[in-house]
Amino acid sequence: MERAVVVGASLAGMRAAETLRAEGFAGSITVVGDEHHVPYDRPPLSKQLLTGEWEPDRLTLAAARRDDLDLTWARGVAATGLDLGARTVALADGRALPFDGLVIATGAAPRWIPGTRGRPGVHVVRTLDDATALAAALATAERVVVVGAGFIGAEVAASCRARGLAVTLVEPLAQPLARVLGEPVGAVVADVHREHGVDVRLGVGVASIATGPDGGPVVALDDGSTVAADAVVVGIGVIPATGWLEGSGLTLDDGVVCDATTLAAPGVVAAGDVARWPNEAFGGEVMRVEHWEHAIDMGGHAARRLLAGDGPGEAYRPVPWFWSDQYDRKLHLAGRVRPDDRFGVVAGSLDERRFTALYGRDGRVVGAFAMNMPARVIRYRAAIADGLGWDDALADAC
Ligand code: FAD
């Protein structure tokens, strides 16, 4: 391999580029990214950047400052197509970049409520531009409606409360985060937000968003009520950024489908939020993971897989790990959980809002979640990787 191309100049792509060099790759590495910014970190976008604690330049990824990586940049230009036969990536500026090895790391884009994209006062938070536009709007806002109480929505609600704004958090499910963590944990998260003054509206969706007489958005809920706001933030999930790969011959199904080693086609790997692969640590469950650490780890693994060439390559089999900060609560999750998994609290209590809970399936522990008990999640993460049984875990909590 002489020419590597990385599409997606963010966490997974930059780690892939770093790893190629760390493993001794001396050929060319071209990094393509459709954003104009120097690659940056996303987690602070819904936290320190929104509260005003951090300035944008603090978000720059360390790898983006490393001249020794000897990267060729194509920044501010989107990849528009992939020709697997000719082994080229088409760019929006008309160029066709030839490659011997390709890393796909285009991440994901936010879902919008239909008809609201571009409407004044309606925001999403995925990019630095999104977050700086929202922060500017919050500077003069008094009332914010956050639609969707997933991790991003819940963090945005907490950041807005830190700024002293009136916040309404709207969630169609019975509890925040219920689709990921189930209702018992979701109920605790809802209480934490209520205690911090958020108006939490559960089991109700958004019917429409109109523009009020003062020019601000007015959110009509499907229970017939309306909430006027100065800013609306939509946090209803993301869609993997695979549009540019349509018709390429790669298998696309809620992401770029890879084998267990991250290979999507000969000489083509995928990593981070955009990639789906069978994770052998979870019985080969085909998954796509939207976590910060995963993007880094999979980016590194995918680069090593490229360098392994025609060899079999190693399976990528992580126990995913995630954190979220909301007020003074630190949430940590290790594993892959579903709302219908078995559930048991093994330390602390839900009432104290400081606890560790386990999730189990088929006799195994598949996940550990903690609120303000991070060390335990790290211990359980290792135990989950070792195949910790459900009964053993409950008998002997670690
Ligand atoms: P991305 O970071 O999405 O990067 C993909 C890049 O590819 C983007 O720059 C995109 O513009 C570019 N791109 C897309 N299409 C094209 C194209 N056709 N051509 C060229 N470039 C293209 N995770 C946690 O574990 N904990 C947290 O607390 C946490 N907080 C978060 C807060 C926010 C606001 C967000 C948005 C994410 C958060 N995450 C968190 C998730 C984490 O940041 C992501 O999992 C991670 O950024 C994924 O990295 P990635 O490189 O796969 O994709």
Side-chain angles (χ1 to χ4, degrees), residues 7-13 32-35 42-47 77-80 105-108 125-126 152 155 241 244 271-274 289-293 295 321-325:
V7 183
S10 184
L11 212 50
V32 181
D34 60 1
E35 296 187 72
R42 285 176 213 275
L45 298 181
S46 49
K47 308 176 184 76
V77 55
T80 52
T106 41
V125 188
R126 180 74 196 182
I152 303 279
E155 288 186 354
W244 66 284
D273 283 15
V274 77
V289 173
E290 297 167 8
H291 301 349
W292 183 88
E293 188 204 65
W321 175 85
F322 178 88
W323 87 96
S324 175
D325 299 336

mmCIF file of all heavy atoms in Angstrom, residues 7-13 32-35 42-47 77-80 105-108 125-126 152 155 241 244 271-274 289-293 295 321-325, ligand 1:
data_model
loop_
_atom_site.group_PDB
_atom_site.id
_atom_site.type_symbol
_atom_site.label_atom_id
_atom_site.label_comp_id
_atom_site.label_asym_id
_atom_site.label_seq_id
_atom_site.Cartn_x
_atom_site.Cartn_y
_atom_site.Cartn_z
ATOM 1 N N VAL A 7 -11.422 9.393 4.794
ATOM 2 C CA VAL A 7 -12.548 10.326 4.583
ATOM 3 C C VAL A 7 -13.264 10.498 5.919
ATOM 4 O O VAL A 7 -13.780 9.530 6.488
ATOM 5 C CB VAL A 7 -13.516 9.837 3.494
ATOM 6 C CG1 VAL A 7 -14.605 10.888 3.270
ATOM 7 C CG2 VAL A 7 -12.771 9.572 2.198
ATOM 8 N N GLY A 8 -13.292 11.761 6.384
ATOM 9 C CA GLY A 8 -13.840 12.068 7.711
ATOM 10 C C GLY A 8 -12.700 12.529 8.600
ATOM 11 O O GLY A 8 -11.899 11.720 9.072
ATOM 12 N N ALA A 9 -12.581 13.863 8.786
ATOM 13 C CA ALA A 9 -11.453 14.433 9.532
ATOM 14 C C ALA A 9 -11.883 14.705 10.964
ATOM 15 O O ALA A 9 -11.989 15.854 11.388
ATOM 16 C CB ALA A 9 -10.972 15.711 8.848
ATOM 17 N N SER A 10 -12.173 13.626 11.678
ATOM 18 C CA SER A 10 -12.583 13.795 13.067
ATOM 19 C C SER A 10 -11.928 12.698 13.894
ATOM 20 O O SER A 10 -10.816 12.264 13.582
ATOM 21 C CB SER A 10 -14.114 13.787 13.141
ATOM 22 O OG SER A 10 -14.567 14.031 14.437
ATOM 23 N N LEU A 11 -12.626 12.250 14.926
ATOM 24 C CA LEU A 11 -11.984 11.382 15.911
ATOM 25 C C LEU A 11 -11.474 10.067 15.310
ATOM 26 O O LEU A 11 -10.301 9.714 15.462
ATOM 27 C CB LEU A 11 -13.019 11.106 16.997
ATOM 28 C CG LEU A 11 -12.545 10.901 18.412
ATOM 29 C CD1 LEU A 11 -11.614 11.985 18.880
ATOM 30 C CD2 LEU A 11 -13.777 10.824 19.324
ATOM 31 N N ALA A 12 -12.357 9.330 14.640
ATOM 32 C CA ALA A 12 -11.967 8.018 14.117
ATOM 33 C C ALA A 12 -10.944 8.174 12.993
ATOM 34 O O ALA A 12 -9.946 7.443 12.938
ATOM 35 C CB ALA A 12 -13.197 7.269 13.624
ATOM 36 N N GLY A 13 -11.185 9.135 12.106
ATOM 37 C CA GLY A 13 -10.281 9.322 10.975
ATOM 38 C C GLY A 13 -8.896 9.771 11.412
ATOM 39 O O GLY A 13 -7.877 9.286 10.915
ATOM 40 N N VAL A 32 -9.599 13.767 4.102
ATOM 41 C CA VAL A 32 -10.671 14.543 3.487
ATOM 42 C C VAL A 32 -11.722 14.844 4.543
ATOM 43 O O VAL A 32 -12.181 13.926 5.235
ATOM 44 C CB VAL A 32 -11.342 13.742 2.341
ATOM 45 C CG1 VAL A 32 -12.447 14.565 1.677
ATOM 46 C CG2 VAL A 32 -10.314 13.274 1.331
ATOM 47 N N GLY A 33 -12.107 16.106 4.681
ATOM 48 C CA GLY A 33 -13.157 16.444 5.642
ATOM 49 C C GLY A 33 -14.016 17.571 5.094
ATOM 50 O O GLY A 33 -13.490 18.552 4.556
ATOM 51 N N ASP A 34 -15.322 17.461 5.251
ATOM 52 C CA ASP A 34 -16.181 18.498 4.662
ATOM 53 C C ASP A 34 -16.297 19.739 5.546
ATOM 54 O O ASP A 34 -16.841 20.754 5.118
ATOM 55 C CB ASP A 34 -17.570 17.934 4.314
ATOM 56 C CG ASP A 34 -18.307 17.386 5.513
ATOM 57 O OD1 ASP A 34 -17.773 17.445 6.630
ATOM 58 O OD2 ASP A 34 -19.438 16.887 5.326
ATOM 59 N N GLU A 35 -15.803 19.668 6.790
ATOM 60 C CA GLU A 35 -15.837 20.865 7.638
ATOM 61 C C GLU A 35 -14.578 21.696 7.383
ATOM 62 O O GLU A 35 -13.523 21.160 7.065
ATOM 63 C CB GLU A 35 -15.911 20.463 9.113
ATOM 64 C CG GLU A 35 -17.189 19.718 9.464
ATOM 65 C CD GLU A 35 -17.324 19.475 10.952
ATOM 66 O OE1 GLU A 35 -17.580 20.451 11.679
ATOM 67 O OE2 GLU A 35 -17.168 18.322 11.379
ATOM 68 N N ARG A 42 -15.941 16.549 19.886
ATOM 69 C CA ARG A 42 -17.368 16.898 19.969
ATOM 70 C C ARG A 42 -17.971 16.914 21.373
ATOM 71 O O ARG A 42 -18.884 17.730 21.627
ATOM 72 C CB ARG A 42 -18.189 15.949 19.080
ATOM 73 C CG ARG A 42 -18.018 16.296 17.638
ATOM 74 C CD ARG A 42 -18.707 15.355 16.669
ATOM 75 N NE ARG A 42 -17.872 15.326 15.489
ATOM 76 C CZ ARG A 42 -17.934 16.220 14.503
ATOM 77 N NH1 ARG A 42 -18.833 17.160 14.510
ATOM 78 N NH2 ARG A 42 -17.095 16.148 13.489
ATOM 79 N N PRO A 43 -17.571 16.026 22.304
ATOM 80 C CA PRO A 43 -18.278 16.024 23.597
ATOM 81 C C PRO A 43 -18.429 17.398 24.261
ATOM 82 O O PRO A 43 -19.503 17.695 24.812
ATOM 83 C CB PRO A 43 -17.460 15.044 24.446
ATOM 84 C CG PRO A 43 -16.980 14.043 23.422
ATOM 85 C CD PRO A 43 -16.632 14.877 22.208
ATOM 86 N N PRO A 44 -17.439 18.287 24.212
ATOM 87 C CA PRO A 44 -17.647 19.592 24.877
ATOM 88 C C PRO A 44 -18.701 20.476 24.192
ATOM 89 O O PRO A 44 -19.117 21.483 24.764
ATOM 90 C CB PRO A 44 -16.260 20.251 24.801
ATOM 91 C CG PRO A 44 -15.296 19.135 24.551
ATOM 92 C CD PRO A 44 -16.063 18.143 23.720
ATOM 93 N N LEU A 45 -19.132 20.102 22.979
ATOM 94 C CA LEU A 45 -20.090 20.958 22.263
ATOM 95 C C LEU A 45 -21.399 21.108 23.035
ATOM 96 O O LEU A 45 -22.033 22.159 23.008
ATOM 97 C CB LEU A 45 -20.396 20.394 20.868
ATOM 98 C CG LEU A 45 -19.233 20.280 19.883
ATOM 99 C CD1 LEU A 45 -19.729 19.719 18.557
ATOM 100 C CD2 LEU A 45 -18.531 21.611 19.672
ATOM 101 N N SER A 46 -21.815 20.030 23.718
ATOM 102 C CA SER A 46 -23.078 20.100 24.473
ATOM 103 C C SER A 46 -22.835 20.430 25.942
ATOM 104 O O SER A 46 -23.797 20.530 26.702
ATOM 105 C CB SER A 46 -23.819 18.763 24.355
ATOM 106 O OG SER A 46 -22.950 17.687 24.649
ATOM 107 N N LYS A 47 -21.553 20.574 26.306
ATOM 108 C CA LYS A 47 -21.212 20.802 27.717
ATOM 109 C C LYS A 47 -20.495 22.162 27.829
ATOM 110 O O LYS A 47 -21.135 23.210 27.821
ATOM 111 C CB LYS A 47 -20.328 19.648 28.234
ATOM 112 C CG LYS A 47 -20.924 18.245 27.965
ATOM 113 C CD LYS A 47 -19.985 17.147 28.390
ATOM 114 C CE LYS A 47 -20.476 15.752 28.069
ATOM 115 N NZ LYS A 47 -20.371 15.358 26.659
ATOM 116 N N VAL A 77 -14.012 20.174 1.943
ATOM 117 C CA VAL A 77 -14.492 19.582 0.690
ATOM 118 C C VAL A 77 -15.049 18.186 1.009
ATOM 119 O O VAL A 77 -14.419 17.397 1.712
ATOM 120 C CB VAL A 77 -13.372 19.534 -0.383
ATOM 121 C CG1 VAL A 77 -12.133 18.813 0.098
ATOM 122 C CG2 VAL A 77 -13.857 18.890 -1.668
ATOM 123 N N ALA A 78 -16.254 17.926 0.510
ATOM 124 C CA ALA A 78 -16.910 16.646 0.794
ATOM 125 C C ALA A 78 -16.495 15.579 -0.208
ATOM 126 O O ALA A 78 -16.251 15.881 -1.378
ATOM 127 C CB ALA A 78 -18.430 16.824 0.751
ATOM 128 N N ALA A 79 -16.418 14.353 0.254
ATOM 129 C CA ALA A 79 -16.326 13.206 -0.657
ATOM 130 C C ALA A 79 -17.734 12.985 -1.205
ATOM 131 O O ALA A 79 -18.714 13.004 -0.449
ATOM 132 C CB ALA A 79 -15.835 11.974 0.093
ATOM 133 N N THR A 80 -17.837 12.768 -2.503
ATOM 134 C CA THR A 80 -19.173 12.623 -3.116
ATOM 135 C C THR A 80 -19.390 11.239 -3.709
ATOM 136 O O THR A 80 -20.518 10.911 -4.086
ATOM 137 C CB THR A 80 -19.378 13.682 -4.214
ATOM 138 O OG1 THR A 80 -18.259 13.605 -5.114
ATOM 139 C CG2 THR A 80 -19.470 15.078 -3.628
ATOM 140 N N ALA A 105 -14.653 7.217 7.646
ATOM 141 C CA ALA A 105 -14.897 7.673 9.026
ATOM 142 C C ALA A 105 -15.740 8.941 8.985
ATOM 143 O O ALA A 105 -15.392 9.964 9.575
ATOM 144 C CB ALA A 105 -13.563 7.919 9.732
ATOM 145 N N THR A 106 -16.877 8.843 8.273
ATOM 146 C CA THR A 106 -17.697 10.050 8.055
ATOM 147 C C THR A 106 -18.750 10.265 9.138
ATOM 148 O O THR A 106 -19.573 11.185 9.027
ATOM 149 C CB THR A 106 -18.349 10.029 6.652
ATOM 150 O OG1 THR A 106 -18.823 8.717 6.359
ATOM 151 C CG2 THR A 106 -17.356 10.431 5.592
ATOM 152 N N GLY A 107 -18.749 9.441 10.171
ATOM 153 C CA GLY A 107 -19.589 9.737 11.326
ATOM 154 C C GLY A 107 -21.074 9.704 11.023
ATOM 155 O O GLY A 107 -21.561 8.880 10.240
ATOM 156 N N ALA A 108 -21.788 10.648 11.609
ATOM 157 C CA ALA A 108 -23.245 10.659 11.507
ATOM 158 C C ALA A 108 -23.731 12.101 11.527
ATOM 159 O O ALA A 108 -23.033 12.997 11.991
ATOM 160 C CB ALA A 108 -23.850 9.877 12.669
ATOM 161 N N VAL A 125 -27.185 19.962 17.589
ATOM 162 C CA VAL A 125 -25.809 20.107 18.086
ATOM 163 C C VAL A 125 -24.991 18.901 17.630
ATOM 164 O O VAL A 125 -24.996 17.848 18.268
ATOM 165 C CB VAL A 125 -25.749 20.190 19.628
ATOM 166 C CG1 VAL A 125 -24.332 20.537 20.069
ATOM 167 C CG2 VAL A 125 -26.724 21.214 20.156
ATOM 168 N N ARG A 126 -24.325 19.045 16.513
ATOM 169 C CA ARG A 126 -23.427 17.986 16.053
ATOM 170 C C ARG A 126 -22.043 18.560 15.731
ATOM 171 O O ARG A 126 -21.036 17.936 15.968
ATOM 172 C CB ARG A 126 -24.011 17.321 14.802
ATOM 173 C CG ARG A 126 -23.158 16.205 14.239
ATOM 174 C CD ARG A 126 -23.235 14.950 15.076
ATOM 175 N NE ARG A 126 -22.168 14.005 14.777
ATOM 176 C CZ ARG A 126 -22.043 12.823 15.351
ATOM 177 N NH1 ARG A 126 -22.935 12.413 16.243
ATOM 178 N NH2 ARG A 126 -21.038 12.018 15.055
ATOM 179 N N ILE A 152 -27.641 13.609 24.364
ATOM 180 C CA ILE A 152 -27.316 14.970 23.904
ATOM 181 C C ILE A 152 -28.366 15.957 24.414
ATOM 182 O O ILE A 152 -28.048 17.017 24.961
ATOM 183 C CB ILE A 152 -27.252 15.031 22.361
ATOM 184 C CG1 ILE A 152 -26.246 14.029 21.817
ATOM 185 C CG2 ILE A 152 -26.971 16.455 21.865
ATOM 186 C CD1 ILE A 152 -24.834 14.413 21.833
ATOM 187 N N GLU A 155 -27.955 16.607 28.092
ATOM 188 C CA GLU A 155 -26.794 17.468 28.377
ATOM 189 C C GLU A 155 -27.080 18.924 27.993
ATOM 190 O O GLU A 155 -26.693 19.847 28.718
ATOM 191 C CB GLU A 155 -25.556 16.963 27.621
ATOM 192 C CG GLU A 155 -25.012 15.669 28.200
ATOM 193 C CD GLU A 155 -23.716 15.239 27.546
ATOM 194 O OE1 GLU A 155 -23.285 15.881 26.569
ATOM 195 O OE2 GLU A 155 -23.122 14.259 28.031
ATOM 196 N N ALA A 241 -23.528 8.903 8.124
ATOM 197 C CA ALA A 241 -23.260 9.707 6.913
ATOM 198 C C ALA A 241 -22.723 8.813 5.796
ATOM 199 O O ALA A 241 -21.519 8.752 5.532
ATOM 200 C CB ALA A 241 -22.277 10.823 7.244
ATOM 201 N N TRP A 244 -22.790 9.538 0.466
ATOM 202 C CA TRP A 244 -21.767 9.603 -0.590
ATOM 203 C C TRP A 244 -21.347 8.216 -1.080
ATOM 204 O O TRP A 244 -20.683 8.107 -2.110
ATOM 205 C CB TRP A 244 -20.562 10.389 -0.099
ATOM 206 C CG TRP A 244 -19.780 9.750 1.022
ATOM 207 C CD1 TRP A 244 -20.137 9.692 2.332
ATOM 208 C CD2 TRP A 244 -18.520 9.080 0.916
ATOM 209 N NE1 TRP A 244 -19.168 9.031 3.056
ATOM 210 C CE2 TRP A 244 -18.163 8.652 2.219
ATOM 211 C CE3 TRP A 244 -17.637 8.821 -0.146
ATOM 212 C CZ2 TRP A 244 -16.985 7.960 2.478
ATOM 213 C CZ3 TRP A 244 -16.456 8.143 0.118
ATOM 214 C CH2 TRP A 244 -16.129 7.709 1.414
ATOM 215 N N ALA A 271 -14.791 2.983 10.369
ATOM 216 C CA ALA A 271 -14.588 3.130 11.817
ATOM 217 C C ALA A 271 -15.453 4.249 12.367
ATOM 218 O O ALA A 271 -15.812 5.188 11.655
ATOM 219 C CB ALA A 271 -13.115 3.428 12.111
ATOM 220 N N GLY A 272 -15.759 4.126 13.659
ATOM 221 C CA GLY A 272 -16.470 5.190 14.366
ATOM 222 C C GLY A 272 -17.983 5.099 14.180
ATOM 223 O O GLY A 272 -18.539 4.032 13.898
ATOM 224 N N ASP A 273 -18.646 6.243 14.325
ATOM 225 C CA ASP A 273 -20.118 6.289 14.315
ATOM 226 C C ASP A 273 -20.734 5.733 13.026
ATOM 227 O O ASP A 273 -21.899 5.337 13.014
ATOM 228 C CB ASP A 273 -20.600 7.747 14.446
ATOM 229 C CG ASP A 273 -20.503 8.283 15.875
ATOM 230 O OD1 ASP A 273 -19.825 7.661 16.710
ATOM 231 O OD2 ASP A 273 -21.109 9.340 16.137
ATOM 232 N N VAL A 274 -19.963 5.745 11.939
ATOM 233 C CA VAL A 274 -20.537 5.338 10.645
ATOM 234 C C VAL A 274 -20.515 3.819 10.445
ATOM 235 O O VAL A 274 -21.188 3.301 9.554
ATOM 236 C CB VAL A 274 -19.776 6.041 9.485
ATOM 237 C CG1 VAL A 274 -18.418 5.382 9.213
ATOM 238 C CG2 VAL A 274 -20.599 6.075 8.209
ATOM 239 N N VAL A 289 -21.889 1.898 17.082
ATOM 240 C CA VAL A 289 -21.714 2.497 18.406
ATOM 241 C C VAL A 289 -21.366 3.967 18.225
ATOM 242 O O VAL A 289 -20.502 4.300 17.416
ATOM 243 C CB VAL A 289 -20.589 1.748 19.177
ATOM 244 C CG1 VAL A 289 -20.258 2.449 20.477
ATOM 245 C CG2 VAL A 289 -21.004 0.298 19.441
ATOM 246 N N GLU A 290 -22.044 4.828 18.983
ATOM 247 C CA GLU A 290 -21.834 6.289 18.839
ATOM 248 C C GLU A 290 -21.151 6.838 20.083
ATOM 249 O O GLU A 290 -21.714 7.697 20.766
ATOM 250 C CB GLU A 290 -23.185 6.968 18.621
ATOM 251 C CG GLU A 290 -23.885 6.529 17.345
ATOM 252 C CD GLU A 290 -25.338 6.977 17.306
ATOM 253 O OE1 GLU A 290 -25.763 7.747 18.193
ATOM 254 O OE2 GLU A 290 -26.055 6.546 16.396
ATOM 255 N N HIS A 291 -19.988 6.302 20.398
ATOM 256 C CA HIS A 291 -19.264 6.737 21.602
ATOM 257 C C HIS A 291 -17.875 7.248 21.216
ATOM 258 O O HIS A 291 -17.230 6.709 20.321
ATOM 259 C CB HIS A 291 -19.060 5.581 22.580
ATOM 260 C CG HIS A 291 -20.309 4.914 23.067
ATOM 261 N ND1 HIS A 291 -21.565 5.420 22.862
ATOM 262 C CD2 HIS A 291 -20.468 3.771 23.774
ATOM 263 C CE1 HIS A 291 -22.450 4.613 23.431
ATOM 264 N NE2 HIS A 291 -21.810 3.601 23.979
ATOM 265 N N TRP A 292 -17.417 8.189 21.993
ATOM 266 C CA TRP A 292 -16.124 8.842 21.785
ATOM 267 C C TRP A 292 -14.960 7.849 21.807
ATOM 268 O O TRP A 292 -14.154 7.788 20.878
ATOM 269 C CB TRP A 292 -15.968 9.885 22.886
ATOM 270 C CG TRP A 292 -14.751 10.734 22.862
ATOM 271 C CD1 TRP A 292 -14.595 11.912 22.198
ATOM 272 C CD2 TRP A 292 -13.524 10.504 23.569
ATOM 273 N NE1 TRP A 292 -13.346 12.424 22.447
ATOM 274 C CE2 TRP A 292 -12.671 11.585 23.285
ATOM 275 C CE3 TRP A 292 -13.077 9.488 24.411
ATOM 276 C CZ2 TRP A 292 -11.385 11.671 23.810
ATOM 277 C CZ3 TRP A 292 -11.801 9.574 24.931
ATOM 278 C CH2 TRP A 292 -10.967 10.653 24.629
ATOM 279 N N GLU A 293 -14.869 7.063 22.856
ATOM 280 C CA GLU A 293 -13.724 6.147 22.978
ATOM 281 C C GLU A 293 -13.747 5.091 21.879
ATOM 282 O O GLU A 293 -12.706 4.687 21.358
ATOM 283 C CB GLU A 293 -13.741 5.476 24.357
ATOM 284 C CG GLU A 293 -12.480 4.685 24.611
ATOM 285 C CD GLU A 293 -12.704 3.590 25.640
ATOM 286 O OE1 GLU A 293 -13.482 2.657 25.365
ATOM 287 O OE2 GLU A 293 -12.104 3.668 26.703
ATOM 288 N N ALA A 295 -14.842 5.479 18.849
ATOM 289 C CA ALA A 295 -14.365 6.065 17.585
ATOM 290 C C ALA A 295 -12.836 6.021 17.538
ATOM 291 O O ALA A 295 -12.235 5.723 16.502
ATOM 292 C CB ALA A 295 -14.878 7.503 17.444
ATOM 293 N N TRP A 321 -17.860 1.764 25.876
ATOM 294 C CA TRP A 321 -17.895 2.564 27.114
ATOM 295 C C TRP A 321 -18.272 4.002 26.760
ATOM 296 O O TRP A 321 -17.841 4.528 25.738
ATOM 297 C CB TRP A 321 -16.515 2.530 27.769
ATOM 298 C CG TRP A 321 -16.394 3.396 28.972
ATOM 299 C CD1 TRP A 321 -16.734 3.065 30.247
ATOM 300 C CD2 TRP A 321 -15.875 4.736 29.025
ATOM 301 N NE1 TRP A 321 -16.471 4.121 31.091
ATOM 302 C CE2 TRP A 321 -15.942 5.157 30.370
ATOM 303 C CE3 TRP A 321 -15.369 5.622 28.066
ATOM 304 C CZ2 TRP A 321 -15.529 6.413 30.776
ATOM 305 C CZ3 TRP A 321 -14.959 6.873 28.480
ATOM 306 C CH2 TRP A 321 -15.032 7.257 29.822
ATOM 307 N N PHE A 322 -19.071 4.601 27.614
ATOM 308 C CA PHE A 322 -19.618 5.929 27.324
ATOM 309 C C PHE A 322 -19.748 6.716 28.616
ATOM 310 O O PHE A 322 -20.000 6.129 29.674
ATOM 311 C CB PHE A 322 -21.021 5.740 26.715
ATOM 312 C CG PHE A 322 -21.746 7.010 26.405
ATOM 313 C CD1 PHE A 322 -21.590 7.630 25.185
ATOM 314 C CD2 PHE A 322 -22.603 7.574 27.336
ATOM 315 C CE1 PHE A 322 -22.270 8.806 24.892
ATOM 316 C CE2 PHE A 322 -23.282 8.755 27.053
ATOM 317 C CZ PHE A 322 -23.107 9.363 25.820
ATOM 318 N N TRP A 323 -19.593 8.032 28.550
ATOM 319 C CA TRP A 323 -19.891 8.862 29.719
ATOM 320 C C TRP A 323 -20.787 10.023 29.301
ATOM 321 O O TRP A 323 -20.832 10.411 28.131
ATOM 322 C CB TRP A 323 -18.608 9.398 30.352
ATOM 323 C CG TRP A 323 -18.150 10.690 29.734
ATOM 324 C CD1 TRP A 323 -18.393 11.951 30.187
ATOM 325 C CD2 TRP A 323 -17.388 10.845 28.519
ATOM 326 N NE1 TRP A 323 -17.836 12.875 29.333
ATOM 327 C CE2 TRP A 323 -17.218 12.226 28.308
ATOM 328 C CE3 TRP A 323 -16.846 9.953 27.596
ATOM 329 C CZ2 TRP A 323 -16.531 12.716 27.209
ATOM 330 C CZ3 TRP A 323 -16.167 10.451 26.501
ATOM 331 C CH2 TRP A 323 -16.010 11.818 26.329
ATOM 332 N N SER A 324 -21.478 10.567 30.280
ATOM 333 C CA SER A 324 -22.279 11.780 30.051
ATOM 334 C C SER A 324 -22.260 12.597 31.336
ATOM 335 O O SER A 324 -22.337 12.030 32.430
ATOM 336 C CB SER A 324 -23.722 11.395 29.694
ATOM 337 O OG SER A 324 -24.530 12.548 29.582
ATOM 338 N N ASP A 325 -22.151 13.922 31.193
ATOM 339 C CA ASP A 325 -22.145 14.812 32.369
ATOM 340 C C ASP A 325 -23.437 15.615 32.363
ATOM 341 O O ASP A 325 -23.738 16.304 31.389
ATOM 342 C CB ASP A 325 -20.977 15.804 32.298
ATOM 343 C CG ASP A 325 -19.628 15.102 32.278
ATOM 344 O OD1 ASP A 325 -19.551 13.960 32.763
ATOM 345 O OD2 ASP A 325 -18.663 15.705 31.770
HETATM 346 P P1 FAD B 1 -17.646 12.388 13.640
HETATM 347 O O1 FAD B 1 -17.028 12.962 14.868
HETATM 348 O O2 FAD B 1 -19.085 12.616 13.366
HETATM 349 O O3 FAD B 1 -16.801 12.888 12.394
HETATM 350 C C1 FAD B 1 -17.135 12.603 11.065
HETATM 351 C C2 FAD B 1 -16.564 13.709 10.210
HETATM 352 O O4 FAD B 1 -16.747 13.360 8.836
HETATM 353 C C3 FAD B 1 -17.284 15.034 10.411
HETATM 354 O O5 FAD B 1 -16.353 16.084 10.470
HETATM 355 C C4 FAD B 1 -18.166 15.146 9.182
HETATM 356 O O6 FAD B 1 -18.469 16.489 8.851
HETATM 357 C C5 FAD B 1 -17.265 14.492 8.146
HETATM 358 N N1 FAD B 1 -17.982 14.034 6.948
HETATM 359 C C6 FAD B 1 -19.233 13.510 6.869
HETATM 360 N N2 FAD B 1 -19.521 13.209 5.590
HETATM 361 C C7 FAD B 1 -18.442 13.557 4.847
HETATM 362 C C8 FAD B 1 -18.144 13.489 3.471
HETATM 363 N N3 FAD B 1 -19.009 12.980 2.580
HETATM 364 N N4 FAD B 1 -16.947 13.941 3.061
HETATM 365 C C9 FAD B 1 -16.038 14.448 3.934
HETATM 366 N N5 FAD B 1 -16.274 14.534 5.265
HETATM 367 C C10 FAD B 1 -17.456 14.086 5.708
HETATM 368 N N6 FAD B 1 -19.446 10.400 23.280
HETATM 369 C C11 FAD B 1 -19.139 9.984 24.551
HETATM 370 O O7 FAD B 1 -18.662 8.850 24.725
HETATM 371 N N7 FAD B 1 -19.358 10.806 25.629
HETATM 372 C C12 FAD B 1 -19.881 12.053 25.495
HETATM 373 O O8 FAD B 1 -20.076 12.762 26.503
HETATM 374 C C13 FAD B 1 -20.217 12.510 24.185
HETATM 375 N N8 FAD B 1 -20.743 13.741 24.009
HETATM 376 C C14 FAD B 1 -21.075 14.146 22.738
HETATM 377 C C15 FAD B 1 -21.630 15.403 22.575
HETATM 378 C C16 FAD B 1 -22.001 15.837 21.291
HETATM 379 C C17 FAD B 1 -22.619 17.183 21.106
HETATM 380 C C18 FAD B 1 -21.800 14.986 20.169
HETATM 381 C C19 FAD B 1 -22.204 15.434 18.796
HETATM 382 C C20 FAD B 1 -21.229 13.740 20.333
HETATM 383 C C21 FAD B 1 -20.861 13.299 21.619
HETATM 384 N N9 FAD B 1 -20.291 12.049 21.828
HETATM 385 C C22 FAD B 1 -19.973 11.622 23.096
HETATM 386 C C23 FAD B 1 -20.097 11.117 20.686
HETATM 387 C C24 FAD B 1 -18.721 11.247 20.035
HETATM 388 O O9 FAD B 1 -18.326 12.579 19.930
HETATM 389 C C25 FAD B 1 -18.813 10.586 18.674
HETATM 390 O O10 FAD B 1 -19.049 9.215 18.891
HETATM 391 C C26 FAD B 1 -17.548 10.795 17.846
HETATM 392 O O11 FAD B 1 -17.366 12.141 17.498
HETATM 393 C C27 FAD B 1 -17.593 9.957 16.564
HETATM 394 O O12 FAD B 1 -16.438 10.196 15.855
HETATM 395 P P2 FAD B 1 -16.350 9.873 14.289
HETATM 396 O O13 FAD B 1 -14.976 10.276 13.874
HETATM 397 O O14 FAD B 1 -16.801 8.484 14.030
HETATM 398 O O15 FAD B 1 -17.450 10.786 13.596
#
